[in-house]
mmCIF file of all heavy atoms in Angstrom:
data_model
loop_
_atom_site.group_PDB
_atom_site.id
_atom_site.type_symbol
_atom_site.label_atom_id
_atom_site.label_comp_id
_atom_site.label_asym_id
_atom_site.label_seq_id
_atom_site.Cartn_x
_atom_site.Cartn_y
_atom_site.Cartn_z
ATOM 1 N N LEU A 161 98.897 99.812 89.404
ATOM 2 C CA LEU A 161 99.323 100.852 88.318
ATOM 3 C C LEU A 161 99.735 102.013 89.023
ATOM 4 O O LEU A 161 99.196 102.518 90.002
ATOM 5 C CB LEU A 161 98.128 101.149 87.354
ATOM 6 C CG LEU A 161 97.645 100.026 86.427
ATOM 7 C CD1 LEU A 161 96.317 100.341 85.916
ATOM 8 C CD2 LEU A 161 98.626 99.813 85.359
ATOM 9 N N ASP A 162 100.889 102.608 88.531
ATOM 10 C CA ASP A 162 101.377 103.740 89.183
ATOM 11 C C ASP A 162 101.763 104.900 88.139
ATOM 12 O O ASP A 162 101.593 104.610 87.027
ATOM 13 C CB ASP A 162 102.724 103.512 90.005
ATOM 14 C CG ASP A 162 103.779 102.665 89.178
ATOM 15 O OD1 ASP A 162 103.897 103.012 88.126
ATOM 16 O OD2 ASP A 162 104.357 101.748 89.746
ATOM 17 N N THR A 163 102.311 105.946 88.707
ATOM 18 C CA THR A 163 102.531 107.038 87.802
ATOM 19 C C THR A 163 103.929 107.144 87.180
ATOM 20 O O THR A 163 104.301 108.074 86.478
ATOM 21 C CB THR A 163 102.256 108.502 88.604
ATOM 22 O OG1 THR A 163 103.038 108.465 89.719
ATOM 23 C CG2 THR A 163 100.895 108.587 88.970
ATOM 24 N N ASP A 164 104.727 106.119 87.510
ATOM 25 C CA ASP A 164 105.959 106.016 86.948
ATOM 26 C C ASP A 164 105.996 105.678 85.405
ATOM 27 O O ASP A 164 105.099 104.814 85.038
ATOM 28 C CB ASP A 164 106.944 104.996 87.694
ATOM 29 C CG ASP A 164 107.275 105.352 89.073
ATOM 30 O OD1 ASP A 164 107.622 106.563 89.199
ATOM 31 O OD2 ASP A 164 107.221 104.576 89.993
ATOM 32 N N VAL A 165 106.875 106.272 84.738
ATOM 33 C CA VAL A 165 106.987 105.873 83.275
ATOM 34 C C VAL A 165 108.170 105.036 83.060
ATOM 35 O O VAL A 165 109.274 105.420 83.453
ATOM 36 C CB VAL A 165 107.133 107.263 82.425
ATOM 37 C CG1 VAL A 165 107.348 106.855 80.954
ATOM 38 C CG2 VAL A 165 105.941 108.190 82.504
ATOM 39 N N TYR A 166 107.818 103.754 82.565
ATOM 40 C CA TYR A 166 108.954 102.829 82.337
ATOM 41 C C TYR A 166 109.412 102.857 80.880
ATOM 42 O O TYR A 166 108.719 103.425 80.124
ATOM 43 C CB TYR A 166 108.348 101.434 82.706
ATOM 44 C CG TYR A 166 107.960 101.375 84.077
ATOM 45 C CD1 TYR A 166 106.632 101.714 84.475
ATOM 46 C CD2 TYR A 166 108.737 100.892 85.105
ATOM 47 C CE1 TYR A 166 106.269 101.711 85.814
ATOM 48 C CE2 TYR A 166 108.311 100.740 86.397
ATOM 49 C CZ TYR A 166 107.040 101.214 86.876
ATOM 50 O OH TYR A 166 106.667 101.184 88.058
ATOM 51 N N PRO A 167 110.604 102.384 80.644
ATOM 52 C CA PRO A 167 111.133 102.419 79.302
ATOM 53 C C PRO A 167 110.264 101.767 78.311
ATOM 54 O O PRO A 167 109.892 100.612 78.384
ATOM 55 C CB PRO A 167 112.470 101.603 79.432
ATOM 56 C CG PRO A 167 112.850 101.776 80.819
ATOM 57 C CD PRO A 167 111.511 101.758 81.663
ATOM 58 N N ILE A 168 109.807 102.623 77.303
ATOM 59 C CA ILE A 168 108.882 102.100 76.266
ATOM 60 C C ILE A 168 109.447 102.599 74.899
ATOM 61 O O ILE A 168 109.931 103.648 74.696
ATOM 62 C CB ILE A 168 107.491 102.710 76.377
ATOM 63 C CG1 ILE A 168 106.940 102.195 77.763
ATOM 64 C CG2 ILE A 168 106.563 102.290 75.290
ATOM 65 C CD1 ILE A 168 105.625 102.756 77.998
ATOM 66 N N SER A 169 109.651 101.777 73.982
ATOM 67 C CA SER A 169 110.213 102.060 72.636
ATOM 68 C C SER A 169 109.151 102.955 71.927
ATOM 69 O O SER A 169 108.003 102.945 72.216
ATOM 70 C CB SER A 169 110.531 100.723 71.791
ATOM 71 O OG SER A 169 109.209 100.120 71.454
ATOM 72 N N GLU A 170 109.605 103.673 70.894
ATOM 73 C CA GLU A 170 108.852 104.535 70.103
ATOM 74 C C GLU A 170 107.621 103.829 69.544
ATOM 75 O O GLU A 170 106.566 104.417 69.379
ATOM 76 C CB GLU A 170 109.670 105.200 68.943
ATOM 77 C CG GLU A 170 110.687 106.085 69.518
ATOM 78 C CD GLU A 170 110.097 107.329 70.080
ATOM 79 O OE1 GLU A 170 108.919 107.663 69.815
ATOM 80 O OE2 GLU A 170 110.731 108.105 70.962
ATOM 81 N N GLU A 171 107.767 102.561 69.162
ATOM 82 C CA GLU A 171 106.690 101.853 68.476
ATOM 83 C C GLU A 171 105.575 101.598 69.495
ATOM 84 O O GLU A 171 104.418 101.463 69.073
ATOM 85 C CB GLU A 171 107.176 100.475 67.966
ATOM 86 C CG GLU A 171 108.149 100.571 66.758
ATOM 87 C CD GLU A 171 109.545 100.923 67.304
ATOM 88 O OE1 GLU A 171 109.870 100.744 68.569
ATOM 89 O OE2 GLU A 171 110.382 101.304 66.419
ATOM 90 N N GLU A 172 105.781 101.671 70.792
ATOM 91 C CA GLU A 172 104.787 101.367 71.702
ATOM 92 C C GLU A 172 104.240 102.664 72.423
ATOM 93 O O GLU A 172 103.414 102.580 73.331
ATOM 94 C CB GLU A 172 105.384 100.393 72.912
ATOM 95 C CG GLU A 172 105.724 99.106 72.302
ATOM 96 C CD GLU A 172 104.494 98.178 72.169
ATOM 97 O OE1 GLU A 172 103.473 98.426 72.846
ATOM 98 O OE2 GLU A 172 104.645 97.238 71.405
ATOM 99 N N ARG A 173 104.822 103.733 72.095
ATOM 100 C CA ARG A 173 104.378 105.079 72.710
ATOM 101 C C ARG A 173 102.992 105.287 72.396
ATOM 102 O O ARG A 173 102.473 105.016 71.326
ATOM 103 C CB ARG A 173 105.213 106.183 72.367
ATOM 104 C CG ARG A 173 106.682 106.052 72.961
ATOM 105 C CD ARG A 173 107.482 107.242 72.782
ATOM 106 N NE ARG A 173 108.857 107.060 73.147
ATOM 107 C CZ ARG A 173 109.230 107.043 74.583
ATOM 108 N NH1 ARG A 173 108.289 107.426 75.368
ATOM 109 N NH2 ARG A 173 110.487 106.814 74.807
ATOM 110 N N PRO A 174 102.252 105.973 73.271
ATOM 111 C CA PRO A 174 100.776 106.310 73.088
ATOM 112 C C PRO A 174 100.510 107.128 71.852
ATOM 113 O O PRO A 174 101.408 107.828 71.342
ATOM 114 C CB PRO A 174 100.349 106.978 74.360
ATOM 115 C CG PRO A 174 101.601 107.557 74.944
ATOM 116 C CD PRO A 174 102.697 106.634 74.505
ATOM 117 N N GLY A 175 99.304 107.156 71.456
ATOM 118 C CA GLY A 175 98.966 107.871 70.254
ATOM 119 C C GLY A 175 97.766 107.173 69.432
ATOM 120 O O GLY A 175 97.168 107.639 68.572
ATOM 121 N N THR A 176 97.537 105.933 69.855
ATOM 122 C CA THR A 176 96.493 105.212 69.368
ATOM 123 C C THR A 176 95.417 104.921 70.380
ATOM 124 O O THR A 176 95.753 104.716 71.575
ATOM 125 C CB THR A 176 96.923 103.867 68.735
ATOM 126 O OG1 THR A 176 97.561 102.950 69.833
ATOM 127 C CG2 THR A 176 98.043 104.092 67.745
ATOM 128 N N ALA A 177 94.231 104.727 69.993
ATOM 129 C CA ALA A 177 93.166 104.371 71.070
ATOM 130 C C ALA A 177 93.378 102.964 71.708
ATOM 131 O O ALA A 177 93.194 102.723 72.776
ATOM 132 C CB ALA A 177 91.808 104.417 70.389
ATOM 133 N N GLU A 178 94.019 102.097 70.860
ATOM 134 C CA GLU A 178 94.302 100.716 71.325
ATOM 135 C C GLU A 178 95.305 100.772 72.509
ATOM 136 O O GLU A 178 95.004 100.152 73.586
ATOM 137 C CB GLU A 178 94.811 99.903 70.256
ATOM 138 C CG GLU A 178 93.784 99.494 69.161
ATOM 139 C CD GLU A 178 93.549 100.645 68.226
ATOM 140 O OE1 GLU A 178 94.351 101.697 68.216
ATOM 141 O OE2 GLU A 178 92.563 100.646 67.483
ATOM 142 N N TYR A 179 96.301 101.503 72.449
ATOM 143 C CA TYR A 179 97.269 101.522 73.563
ATOM 144 C C TYR A 179 96.667 102.266 74.747
ATOM 145 O O TYR A 179 97.017 101.827 75.841
ATOM 146 C CB TYR A 179 98.548 102.254 73.087
ATOM 147 C CG TYR A 179 99.547 102.241 74.155
ATOM 148 C CD1 TYR A 179 100.451 101.221 74.253
ATOM 149 C CD2 TYR A 179 99.668 103.256 75.143
ATOM 150 C CE1 TYR A 179 101.401 101.057 75.261
ATOM 151 C CE2 TYR A 179 100.596 103.143 76.118
ATOM 152 C CZ TYR A 179 101.437 102.176 76.173
ATOM 153 O OH TYR A 179 102.276 101.970 77.252
ATOM 154 N N ALA A 180 95.979 103.307 74.566
ATOM 155 C CA ALA A 180 95.472 104.063 75.613
ATOM 156 C C ALA A 180 94.276 103.266 76.353
ATOM 157 O O ALA A 180 93.782 103.786 77.351
ATOM 158 C CB ALA A 180 94.925 105.407 75.132
ATOM 159 N N GLY A 181 93.951 102.195 75.757
ATOM 160 C CA GLY A 181 92.878 101.436 76.546
ATOM 161 C C GLY A 181 91.503 101.576 75.792
ATOM 162 O O GLY A 181 90.495 101.195 76.216
ATOM 163 N N GLY A 182 91.485 102.072 74.558
ATOM 164 C CA GLY A 182 90.232 102.451 73.767
ATOM 165 C C GLY A 182 89.407 103.523 74.410
ATOM 166 O O GLY A 182 89.897 104.172 75.399
ATOM 167 N N LYS A 183 88.302 103.744 73.932
ATOM 168 C CA LYS A 183 87.424 104.739 74.420
ATOM 169 C C LYS A 183 86.772 104.358 75.742
ATOM 170 O O LYS A 183 86.287 103.264 75.890
ATOM 171 C CB LYS A 183 86.380 105.104 73.433
ATOM 172 C CG LYS A 183 86.866 105.854 72.150
ATOM 173 C CD LYS A 183 85.827 106.043 71.147
ATOM 174 C CE LYS A 183 84.725 107.021 71.703
ATOM 175 N NZ LYS A 183 83.742 107.372 70.739
ATOM 176 N N GLU A 184 86.690 105.225 76.723
ATOM 177 C CA GLU A 184 85.919 105.047 77.877
ATOM 178 C C GLU A 184 84.589 104.817 77.518
ATOM 179 O O GLU A 184 83.991 105.465 76.486
ATOM 180 C CB GLU A 184 86.084 106.046 78.904
ATOM 181 C CG GLU A 184 87.452 106.233 79.467
ATOM 182 C CD GLU A 184 87.785 105.135 80.486
ATOM 183 O OE1 GLU A 184 86.911 104.308 80.690
ATOM 184 O OE2 GLU A 184 88.879 105.218 81.058
ATOM 185 N N PRO A 185 83.652 104.075 78.189
ATOM 186 C CA PRO A 185 82.339 103.934 77.843
ATOM 187 C C PRO A 185 81.547 105.236 77.887
ATOM 188 O O PRO A 185 80.516 105.440 77.205
ATOM 189 C CB PRO A 185 81.648 102.972 78.968
ATOM 190 C CG PRO A 185 82.733 102.963 80.080
ATOM 191 C CD PRO A 185 83.934 103.282 79.441
ATOM 192 N N GLU A 186 81.912 106.190 78.631
ATOM 193 C CA GLU A 186 81.277 107.439 78.764
ATOM 194 C C GLU A 186 81.830 108.480 77.733
ATOM 195 O O GLU A 186 81.215 109.581 77.611
ATOM 196 C CB GLU A 186 81.321 108.055 80.130
ATOM 197 C CG GLU A 186 82.602 108.642 80.596
ATOM 198 C CD GLU A 186 83.601 107.522 81.070
ATOM 199 O OE1 GLU A 186 83.279 106.313 80.915
ATOM 200 O OE2 GLU A 186 84.626 107.830 81.400
ATOM 201 N N GLU A 187 82.933 108.207 77.093
ATOM 202 C CA GLU A 187 83.519 109.242 76.097
ATOM 203 C C GLU A 187 82.862 109.047 74.679
ATOM 204 O O GLU A 187 83.479 108.521 73.868
ATOM 205 C CB GLU A 187 85.001 109.052 75.995
ATOM 206 C CG GLU A 187 85.722 109.469 77.345
ATOM 207 C CD GLU A 187 87.236 109.149 77.250
ATOM 208 O OE1 GLU A 187 87.733 109.137 76.238
ATOM 209 O OE2 GLU A 187 87.877 109.125 78.253
ATOM 210 N N ASP A 188 81.634 109.441 74.649
ATOM 211 C CA ASP A 188 80.899 109.155 73.420
ATOM 212 C C ASP A 188 80.301 110.422 72.729
ATOM 213 O O ASP A 188 79.457 110.449 71.900
ATOM 214 C CB ASP A 188 79.712 108.229 73.684
ATOM 215 C CG ASP A 188 78.720 108.834 74.728
ATOM 216 O OD1 ASP A 188 78.998 109.911 75.197
ATOM 217 O OD2 ASP A 188 77.702 108.140 75.008
ATOM 218 N N ASN A 189 80.971 111.568 73.149
ATOM 219 C CA ASN A 189 80.612 112.908 72.616
ATOM 220 C C ASN A 189 78.975 113.064 72.799
ATOM 221 O O ASN A 189 78.348 113.550 71.790
ATOM 222 C CB ASN A 189 81.025 112.972 71.134
ATOM 223 C CG ASN A 189 82.499 112.867 70.974
ATOM 224 O OD1 ASN A 189 83.229 113.485 71.765
ATOM 225 N ND2 ASN A 189 82.868 112.166 70.007
ATOM 226 N N SER A 190 78.405 112.664 73.880
ATOM 227 C CA SER A 190 77.001 112.713 74.127
ATOM 228 C C SER A 190 76.511 114.164 74.075
ATOM 229 O O SER A 190 77.235 115.204 74.407
ATOM 230 C CB SER A 190 76.687 112.289 75.421
ATOM 231 O OG SER A 190 75.380 112.384 75.791
ATOM 232 N N THR A 191 75.397 114.369 73.445
ATOM 233 C CA THR A 191 74.847 115.662 73.324
ATOM 234 C C THR A 191 73.556 115.913 74.360
ATOM 235 O O THR A 191 72.832 116.824 74.208
ATOM 236 C CB THR A 191 74.216 115.930 71.962
ATOM 237 O OG1 THR A 191 73.325 114.938 71.515
ATOM 238 C CG2 THR A 191 75.416 115.828 70.991
ATOM 239 N N GLU A 192 73.546 114.923 75.263
ATOM 240 C CA GLU A 192 72.542 115.045 76.334
ATOM 241 C C GLU A 192 72.618 116.406 76.985
ATOM 242 O O GLU A 192 73.609 116.778 77.429
ATOM 243 C CB GLU A 192 72.564 113.903 77.241
ATOM 244 C CG GLU A 192 72.466 112.565 76.526
ATOM 245 C CD GLU A 192 71.051 112.272 75.943
ATOM 246 O OE1 GLU A 192 70.150 112.953 76.403
ATOM 247 O OE2 GLU A 192 70.958 111.589 75.051
ATOM 248 N N ASP A 193 71.460 116.893 77.292
ATOM 249 C CA ASP A 193 71.349 118.225 78.056
ATOM 250 C C ASP A 193 70.793 118.110 79.438
ATOM 251 O O ASP A 193 70.312 118.960 80.059
ATOM 252 C CB ASP A 193 70.690 119.311 77.241
ATOM 253 C CG ASP A 193 69.226 118.943 76.893
ATOM 254 O OD1 ASP A 193 68.798 117.743 77.381
ATOM 255 O OD2 ASP A 193 68.432 119.656 76.315
ATOM 256 N N ALA A 194 70.742 116.855 79.957
ATOM 257 C CA ALA A 194 70.189 116.520 81.285
ATOM 258 C C ALA A 194 70.670 115.237 81.722
ATOM 259 O O ALA A 194 71.094 114.317 81.012
ATOM 260 C CB ALA A 194 68.644 116.542 81.198
ATOM 261 N N ILE A 195 70.860 115.240 83.079
ATOM 262 C CA ILE A 195 71.223 113.855 83.688
ATOM 263 C C ILE A 195 69.953 113.139 84.187
ATOM 264 O O ILE A 195 69.158 113.776 84.818
ATOM 265 C CB ILE A 195 72.136 114.169 84.922
ATOM 266 C CG1 ILE A 195 73.468 114.828 84.436
ATOM 267 C CG2 ILE A 195 72.422 112.915 85.750
ATOM 268 C CD1 ILE A 195 74.407 115.230 85.615
ATOM 269 N N ILE A 196 69.848 111.910 83.682
ATOM 270 C CA ILE A 196 68.576 111.139 84.038
ATOM 271 C C ILE A 196 69.138 109.910 84.784
ATOM 272 O O ILE A 196 69.690 109.015 84.351
ATOM 273 C CB ILE A 196 67.958 110.608 82.676
ATOM 274 C CG1 ILE A 196 67.517 111.824 81.823
ATOM 275 C CG2 ILE A 196 66.701 109.808 83.133
ATOM 276 C CD1 ILE A 196 66.864 111.499 80.467
ATOM 277 N N LEU A 197 68.750 110.055 86.055
ATOM 278 C CA LEU A 197 69.353 109.070 87.055
ATOM 279 C C LEU A 197 68.429 107.793 87.215
ATOM 280 O O LEU A 197 67.266 107.818 87.072
ATOM 281 C CB LEU A 197 69.551 109.742 88.433
ATOM 282 C CG LEU A 197 70.457 110.940 88.381
ATOM 283 C CD1 LEU A 197 70.416 111.565 89.786
ATOM 284 C CD2 LEU A 197 71.873 110.503 88.140
#
């Protein structure tokens, strides 16, 4: 994967979680106030 932007039609442009790969496992709006290792 590289940082080049290839031709993509408007229908495929990002803006949905599905296109962006969905939510990362850690992007859960956690309210934890400590790191438990």
Side-chain angles (χ1 to χ4, degrees):
L161 291 165
D162 55 38
T163 55
D164 290 320
V165 177
Y166 299 85
I168 299 176
S169 68
E170 290 295 336
E171 294 78 19
E172 296 282 339
R173 291 191 185 277
T176 65
E178 288 76 16
Y179 184 86
K183 291 178 65 178
E184 294 281 5
E186 71 280 5
E187 291 178 21
D188 58 357
N189 299 317
S190 174
T191 59
E192 298 297 332
D193 59 0
I195 295 176
I196 303 175
L197 298 173

